[in-house]
């Protein structure tokens, strides 16, 4: 039996030698990894800074306050809770703060790019404990959604919370139009910017802060922080409901969670400082530039892309023209040293485990310093590997991938 130590070092090598192209993954900073694994994990701190249920808070209170202040400044919001363990409990906390079981929520369907926690029916807490309505992408150009039809549904069903956010949608979301929709029935509007938060703070993706009541983001995707999440209340949210910040805090602790993960909170503080720097702005710009080049190059090679391109860090390829399903393509790519995930396309006729598409992202490649030249090469490898079932060809590409990775090393110590 291999030891855990050995398996971690093998995983490290895997991450160094392959192309990480799952859009929700990224490399965080060594300082963040050290903070997460630091002595902070020994400490319990139920409650919030200044109002704890334990002693020994002198330093950890300062850490949490610093994280809150930096996050507030970074996103321009009056309230931030940095305690959510991850994105799913953060979304759960919003619902528990604002809804009773059986109340209506509205979120984007999974195969149209939404997340499981946005009301996916039957098997998720959000679809089981609440009455969930799923909306869909209805147009092939902005604003992407049919707001006339959505307005009819909203007036009829009166959702209490509307969730807007995506896990596999390559375009900008029309925040103002969703704000107008929510206003029809005085619904709370939750922006889940888990995927694009890094692009928002880098100024390359529109911020929802002006338009919504609550913003949730995970901290480990384009933000490049530790695995965690943040819940923010906007000025608009406080005008809508003066108790909103209090409700969110109460829903996280004691409503849903116990002691916060203080190492992660320290990691969030480090991430927030880095994300405010001009170097991070350049990183965000390059992430989007790289995704656009990848889209252009794949289209040149006969690929069909959902919405026919991208404005952010990811692409969703509809593999029908390549006559291969998403799972087969993802397995072939793994053999070639390129790690992606199979993904549903809108109105996918195929089941979720063998969907018709794959999802590709540029955040981690860009973190390694790759740019336009590398995207052209990678598009070619993607195309060759997906179209062929020849294992030898896949191994040859994997060797080339390893060489490219050596030219763009990433510090994983
Ligand atoms: C849009 C969105 N919301 C929520 C989540 C859930 O985050 P976590 O996996 O940290 O629970 C994700 C994760 O992929 C996501 O993409």
């Amino acid at each position: 039996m291999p030891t855990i130590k050995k398996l971690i070092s093998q995983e490290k090598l895997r991450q160094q030698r392959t192309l990480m192209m799952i859009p929700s993954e990224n490399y965080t900073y060594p300082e963040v990894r050290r903070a997460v694994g630091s002595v902070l994990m020994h400490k319990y701190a139920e409650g919030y800074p200044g109002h704890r249920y334990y002693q020994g808070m002198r330093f950890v209170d300062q850490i949490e306050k610093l994280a809150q202040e930096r996050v507030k400044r970074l996103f321009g919001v009056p309230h931030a809770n940095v305690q959510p363990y991850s994105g799913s409990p953060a979304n759960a906390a919003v619902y528990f703060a604002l809804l009773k079981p059986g109340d209506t929520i509205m979120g984007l369907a999974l195969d149209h790019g939404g997340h499981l926690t946005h009301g996916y029916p039957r098997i998720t807490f959000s679809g089981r404990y609440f009455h969930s309505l799923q909306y869909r992408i209805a147009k092939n150009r902005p604003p992407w959604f049919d707001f006339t039809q959505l307005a009819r549904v909203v007036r009829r069903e009166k959702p209490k919370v509307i969730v807007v956010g995506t896990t596999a949608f390559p375009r900008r979301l029309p925040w103002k139009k969703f704000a107008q929709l929510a206003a029809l029935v005085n619904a709370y509007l939750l922006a889940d910017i888990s995927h694009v938060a890094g692009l928002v703070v880098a100024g390359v993706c529109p911020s929802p802060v002006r338009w919504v009541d609550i913003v949730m983001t995970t901290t480990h995707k384009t933000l490049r922080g530790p695995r965690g999440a943040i819940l923010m209340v906007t000025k608009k949210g406080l005008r809508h409901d003066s108790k909103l910040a209090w409700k969110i805090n109460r829903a996280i602790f004691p409503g849903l969670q116990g002691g916060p993960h203080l190492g992660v909170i320290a990691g969030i503080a480090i991430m927030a400082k880095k994300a405010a720097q001009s170097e991070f702005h350049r990183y965000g710009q390059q992430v989007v530039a790289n995704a656009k080049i990848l889209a252009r190059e794949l289209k040149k090679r006969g690929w069909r892309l959902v919405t026919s391109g991208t404005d952010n860090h990811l692409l969703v390829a509809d593999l029908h023209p390549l006559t291969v399903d998403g799972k087969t393509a993802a397995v072939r790519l793994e053999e070639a040293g390129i790690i992606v995930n199979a993904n549903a396309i809108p109105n996918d006729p195929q089941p979720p485990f063998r969907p018709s598409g794959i999802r590709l992202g540029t955040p981690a490649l860009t973190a390694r310093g790759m740019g336009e030249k590398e995207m052209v090469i990678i598009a070619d490898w993607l195309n060759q590997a997906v179209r062929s079932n020849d294992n030898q060809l896949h191994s040859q590409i994997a060797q080339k991938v390893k060489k490219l990775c050596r030219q763009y090393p990433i510090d994983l110590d």
Side-chain angles (χ1 to χ4, degrees):
M1 267 300 250
T3 59
I4 293 292
K5 191 173 167 194
K6 177 95 205 283
L7 289 169
I8 291 175
S9 71
Q10 285 174 327
E11 170 62 13
K12 187 159 111 183
L13 272 186
R14 188 195 69 77
Q15 290 188 16
Q16 270 160 347
R17 291 176 176 176
T18 56
L19 297 176
M20 184 189 270
M21 292 191 75
I22 294 174
S24 49
E25 293 183 356
N26 210 337
Y27 301 103
T28 190
Y29 311 98
E31 302 93 298
V32 169
R33 277 200 307 277
R34 281 193 284 276
V36 172
S38 71
V39 295
L40 292 171
M41 79 172 69
H42 304 154
K43 188 77 197 96
Y44 246 99
E46 285 180 359
Y48 290 100
H51 306 275
R52 304 281 196 187
Y53 290 79
Y54 294 90
Q55 297 311 116
M57 295 299 146
R58 191 164 153 204
F59 305 111
V60 298
D61 266 9
Q62 293 178 57
I63 288 172
E64 186 166 344
K65 275 199 216 147
L66 207 50
Q68 290 170 348
E69 290 310 315
R70 286 182 185 174
V71 165
K72 286 195 299 192
R73 220 174 311 129
L74 187 65
F75 286 92
V77 292
H79 178 76
N81 186 314
V82 292
Q83 293 194 1
Y85 297 148
S86 216
S88 304
N91 280 341
V94 174
Y95 306 151
F96 293 150
L98 304 176
L99 303 167
K100 293 191 294 299
D103 280 350
T104 301
I105 62 169
M106 202 167 150
L108 184 61
L110 191 69
D111 63 340
H112 287 244
H115 189 258
L116 287 165
T117 53
H118 297 176
Y120 187 80
R122 288 185 303 282
I123 56 171
T124 72
F125 81 92
S126 59
R128 292 180 62 196
Y129 296 103
F130 305 105
H131 174 234
S132 139
L133 298 171
Q134 299 270 272
Y135 59 90
R136 292 177 166 75
I137 290 154
K139 296 177 189 289
N140 54 12
R141 65 191 131 73
W144 311 108
F145 303 90
D146 180 347
F147 282 97
T148 312
Q149 189 245 345
L150 285 180
R152 269 199 299 274
V153 175
V154 162
R155 281 205 176 92
R156 189 181 67 228
E157 302 282 345
K158 299 187 178 37
K160 286 208 177 144
V161 172
I162 299 178
V163 195
V164 184
T166 59
T167 189
F169 185 62
R171 299 295 183 174
R172 295 172 168 199
L173 292 169
W175 295 116
K176 184 177 174 186
K177 287 199 169 289
F178 278 106
Q180 289 164 341
L181 191 69
L184 293 176
V185 291
N186 200 29
Y188 290 100
L189 190 56
L190 163 64
D192 177 348
I193 59 167
S194 292
H195 263 263
V196 294
L199 307 180
V200 167
V201 300
V204 287
C205 203
S207 168
V209 164
R210 243 184 96 190
W211 303 109
V212 307
D213 300 303
I214 302 164
V215 179
M216 194 289 281
T217 180
T218 53
T219 45
H220 45 273
K221 300 186 176 90
T222 48
L223 275 176
R224 300 193 61 187
R227 219 171 182 98
I230 307 168
L231 273 169
M232 295 170 263
V233 177
T234 63
K235 276 192 200 146
K236 181 172 189 238
L238 290 178
R239 277 198 305 274
H240 184 173
D241 177 351
S242 60
K243 292 212 170 111
L244 195 52
W246 178 83
K247 287 180 185 173
I248 293 291
N249 277 0
R250 284 259 306 175
I252 286 288
F253 178 86
L256 192 70
Q257 298 188 170
H261 296 177
L262 295 159
V264 171
I265 290 175
I268 289 175
I270 295 168
M271 168 279 283
K273 188 171 178 185
K274 286 183 178 283
Q277 289 163 5
S278 52
E279 199 182 327
F280 191 82
H281 285 220
R282 283 196 293 280
Y283 166 73
Q285 282 161 4
Q286 194 60 49
V287 166
V288 177
N290 282 349
K292 283 181 184 288
I293 293 159
L294 201 58
R296 184 193 70 201
E297 293 299 315
L298 288 172
K299 279 166 71 176
K300 265 195 214 165
R301 289 162 177 81
W303 284 45
R304 185 193 292 161
L305 301 178
V306 170
T307 75
S308 143
T310 183
D311 294 327
N312 60 27
H313 62 304
L314 68 82
L315 330 171
V316 181
D318 169 354
L319 296 173
H320 281 114
L322 279 65
T323 60
V324 62
D325 67 81
K327 185 71 187 173
T328 306
V331 170
R332 286 179 184 175
L333 286 171
E334 181 164 11
E335 283 169 9
I338 304 175
I339 310 300
V340 306
N341 69 284
N343 209 94
I345 57 168
N347 308 314
D348 203 323
Q350 295 293 115
F353 193 69
R354 198 166 281 284
S356 306
I358 52 173
R359 195 174 62 144
L360 303 161
T362 55
L365 302 185
T366 312
R368 295 183 87 128
M370 294 182 190
E372 176 160 7
K373 201 169 102 233
E374 291 71 37
M375 293 308 119
V376 177
I377 297 167
I378 291 167
D380 209 45
W381 292 340
L382 286 163
N383 185 47
Q384 287 181 40
V386 167
R387 285 182 188 271
S388 167
N389 62 2
D390 176 357
N391 293 352
Q392 256 185 328
L393 174 75
H394 296 156
S395 312
Q396 281 163 13
I397 295 173
Q399 288 311 316
K400 292 182 194 167
V401 163
K402 245 195 233 170
K403 203 165 150 211
L404 181 67
C405 288
R406 271 201 300 276
Q407 286 165 23
Y408 292 92
I410 184 89
D411 181 0
L412 299 183
D413 289 322

